[in-house]
Amino acid sequence: MKIRALIFDLDGVLVSTEHNHFIAWQKTAQTLGIEFTEVHNELLKGVSRIDSLKKILELGKKVISEDYFNQLLQEKNNFYLESIQNLSQDHLLKGVLNLLVKAKNEGLKLAVGSSSKNAKHILQLVGIMEYFDTIIDGNDLTFPKPHPEVFLKGAHLLDCQPDECIVFEDALSGIKAAKEGRFIAIGVGNPTLKNETQLYLDDLTQFRLEDYA
Ligand SMILES: [Mg+2]
């Protein structure tokens, strides 16, 4: 079947804000008097905000009240939002801009499907907002990935069937969501996905649109 749309996860596929999350968690850990390095940060990859804070508390063997826990979650997000103000087109991942331009020229529809509540803000900061026909973000969702809701909503808004859409994802939960929704799932930038998808790419420069369109 001919592909009619491309749906992209945001973080780790289009743009990398991993370092911004790390710095924000490091500040939060500092408030708690807990040492938190890049090595510790590996434990938080693909982990939700709530579970990330739980892991940091485990690291420092600390127990805190629920109120303080919630306050720290809010503070972490504030640190993060502050730090992404400096994002620019330089923070786009390799191959992104070329693929978006090429896909647009081919007449494909484009969407972002992200759990992040900050997705639109980030797309604006890196200057690629205008390429997308629709953006589904954490504010539109009832069920987190691996539930396919995010991608199904995207396909619906693009007026496409799932098997007419390619989903690009860097997280296992996202690949599971895409497969569950019967999309064509392509893993990007995360070698642990190599055995989870028909196609794995180190980055989007390796994607050959002409094989699908
Ligand atoms: Mg991601």
Side-chain angles (χ1 to χ4, degrees), residues 102-160:
K102 212 165 151 186
K104 267 283 179 228
N105 286 340
E106 294 287 328
L108 293 182
K109 293 182 181 178
L110 301 177
V112 172
S114 165
S115 321
S116 166
K117 292 191 172 173
N118 303 312
K120 286 182 183 133
H121 184 51
I122 292 170
L123 288 167
Q124 241 149 14
L125 287 167
V126 297
I128 54 171
M129 185 84 156
E130 71 271 16
Y131 287 95
F132 296 100
D133 300 286
T134 190
I135 293 155
I136 316 297
D137 66 22
N139 301 296
D140 306 314
L141 299 175
T142 313
F143 307 107
K145 297 172 188 174
H147 194 287
E149 182 189 21
V150 59
F151 300 131
L152 290 173
K153 276 196 171 174
H156 179 72
L157 288 168
L158 295 176
D159 201 18
C160 293

Side-chain angles (χ1 to χ4, degrees), residues 14-204:
L14 296 175
V15 62
S16 176
T17 62
E18 218 160 67
H19 190 70
N20 303 70
H21 283 291
F22 167 60
I23 298 294
W25 280 126
Q26 198 173 43
K27 279 193 187 180
T28 307
Q30 238 166 39
T31 330
L32 289 159
I34 297 171
E35 193 198 9
F36 186 73
T37 65
E38 301 243 20
V39 177
H40 299 131
N41 193 45
E42 288 298 314
L43 299 170
L44 307 191
K45 298 249 165 97
V47 174
S48 73
R49 203 189 303 171
I50 290 175
D51 288 337
S52 293
L53 183 51
K54 284 184 186 162
K55 282 193 193 282
I56 291 172
L57 289 165
E58 270 170 36
L59 274 175
K61 299 189 175 64
K62 293 235 168 169
V63 179
I64 59 173
S65 74
E66 201 182 319
D67 281 351
Y68 189 40
F69 186 92
N70 289 327
Q71 184 193 323
L72 288 173
L73 288 180
Q74 190 56 54
E75 273 179 23
K76 186 270 169 179
N77 195 45
N78 293 342
F79 289 144
Y80 171 72
L81 288 175
E82 215 174 282
S83 82
I84 60 171
Q85 293 314 312
N86 302 320
L87 283 182
S88 70
Q89 214 161 60
D90 301 340
H91 294 84
L92 284 177
L93 289 170
K94 261 169 83 180
V96 170
L97 210 48
N98 270 343
L99 177 56
L100 294 179
V101 171
K102 212 165 151 186
K104 267 283 179 228
N105 286 340
E106 294 287 328
L108 293 182
K109 293 182 181 178
L110 301 177
V112 172
S114 165
S115 321
S116 166
K117 292 191 172 173
N118 303 312
K120 286 182 183 133
H121 184 51
I122 292 170
L123 288 167
Q124 241 149 14
L125 287 167
V126 297
I128 54 171
M129 185 84 156
E130 71 271 16
Y131 287 95
F132 296 100
D133 300 286
T134 190
I135 293 155
I136 316 297
D137 66 22
N139 301 296
D140 306 314
L141 299 175
T142 313
F143 307 107
K145 297 172 188 174
H147 194 287
E149 182 189 21
V150 59
F151 300 131
L152 290 173
K153 276 196 171 174
H156 179 72
L157 288 168
L158 295 176
D159 201 18
C160 293
Q161 296 302 316
D163 62 359
E164 298 174 310
C165 306
I166 296 178
V167 168
F168 296 92
E169 258 291 347
D170 74 314
L172 183 58
S173 60
I175 291 291
K176 284 185 174 164
K179 282 184 176 172
E180 174 77 21
R182 303 190 173 279
F183 292 84
I184 301 163
I186 297 186
V188 187
N190 174 358
T192 67
L193 297 178
K194 272 181 186 164
N195 300 321
E196 308 292 336
T197 52
Q198 305 109 300
L199 184 62
Y200 169 77
L201 312 169
D202 289 321
D203 61 58
L204 289 176

